[in-house]
Amino acid sequence: PFLGNAKSIIFREHEGSFLVGMIAALKSETGKIAFIGGRDIPLIQNFAYGFEQGARYVKPDITIYSKTLGTGSEAWDDASTAKEQALAYYAQGVDIIFAAAGASGMGVLEAAKETGHFAIGVDRNQNGVQPGHVLTSLIKRVDIAVYQALDELHQGTWTSGVLNLGLKEK
């Protein structure tokens, strides 16, 4: 049960992941793409699920590799392991990797640059990190959701409960 003044904001991250999966599949020249997630938790599983479903929607026979970096909090901050995994995927013919791995994702972006391939970023536009090697970035816009909630509080229109946000809600 919710406290009378609590608001929970839930994101449907699988929806945006579906779109970047489509983009990856359409852009792939090898027919092999991959997902590297941080911690193996439902949130990251949702990212991976959406990515795979989007890719298969446009290319049912595409090969998709998927891996998470661990089960503990250290999985969010292990760029070297993420880079090693990305390099291994690129060596297997993967040409695009979607990284939803927190700070670990920086290793995927480095590997994309080193090998001349593409990565897909998350949470913010990551093209500036490795220009020319970030195909696109999935941005959930947490900043807008928090701003809207605070604006409701300021305007006196605050409501408690669950706010479920996805593509439809921009």
Side-chain angles (χ1 to χ4, degrees):
F2 280 91
L3 300 173
N5 63 351
K7 179 179 294 237
S8 177
I9 302 173
I10 298 171
F11 294 93
R12 296 187 307 270
E13 57 279 331
H14 63 283
E15 293 178 358
S17 295
F18 185 95
L19 295 179
V20 298
M22 289 175 66
I23 292 168
L26 291 170
K27 179 69 175 172
S28 177
E29 295 177 0
T30 65
K32 295 180 181 181
I33 60 175
F35 173 84
I36 295 178
R39 190 174 182 181
D40 188 11
I41 57 174
L43 167 75
I44 298 304
Q45 293 164 3
N46 287 344
F47 275 109
Y49 176 78
F51 179 71
E52 180 177 341
Q53 294 303 308
R56 293 203 189 287
Y57 181 77
V58 295
K59 286 194 179 172
D61 60 340
I62 194 162
T63 300
I64 304 170
Y65 300 93
S66 184
K67 182 162 183 69
T68 54
L69 300 173
T71 58
S73 60
E74 70 284 347
W76 299 119
D77 195 28
D78 191 356
S80 62
T81 299
K83 182 178 179 180
E84 288 174 23
Q85 183 61 58
L87 289 171
Y89 279 152
Y90 289 134
Q92 293 174 9
V94 165
D95 55 356
I96 301 167
I97 299 174
F98 176 31
S104 296
M106 294 298 114
V108 176
L109 300 182
E110 287 177 30
K113 180 181 179 184
E114 284 183 20
T115 62
H117 290 97
F118 285 114
I120 296 174
V122 74
D123 293 337
R124 64 182 175 84
N125 182 349
Q126 293 186 309
N127 187 55
V129 178
Q130 297 297 346
H133 296 282
V134 177
L135 182 59
T136 190
S137 296
L138 171 58
I139 304 172
K140 290 193 307 187
R141 299 310 308 249
V142 173
D143 56 335
I144 291 175
V146 171
Y147 178 84
Q148 287 174 345
L150 293 174
D151 191 49
E152 286 178 13
L153 182 62
H154 178 73
Q155 299 294 329
T157 58
W158 175 272
T159 56
S160 63
V162 177
L163 182 60
N164 196 315
L165 302 174
L167 293 176
K168 180 181 177 183
E169 297 80 19
K170 300 179 184 173

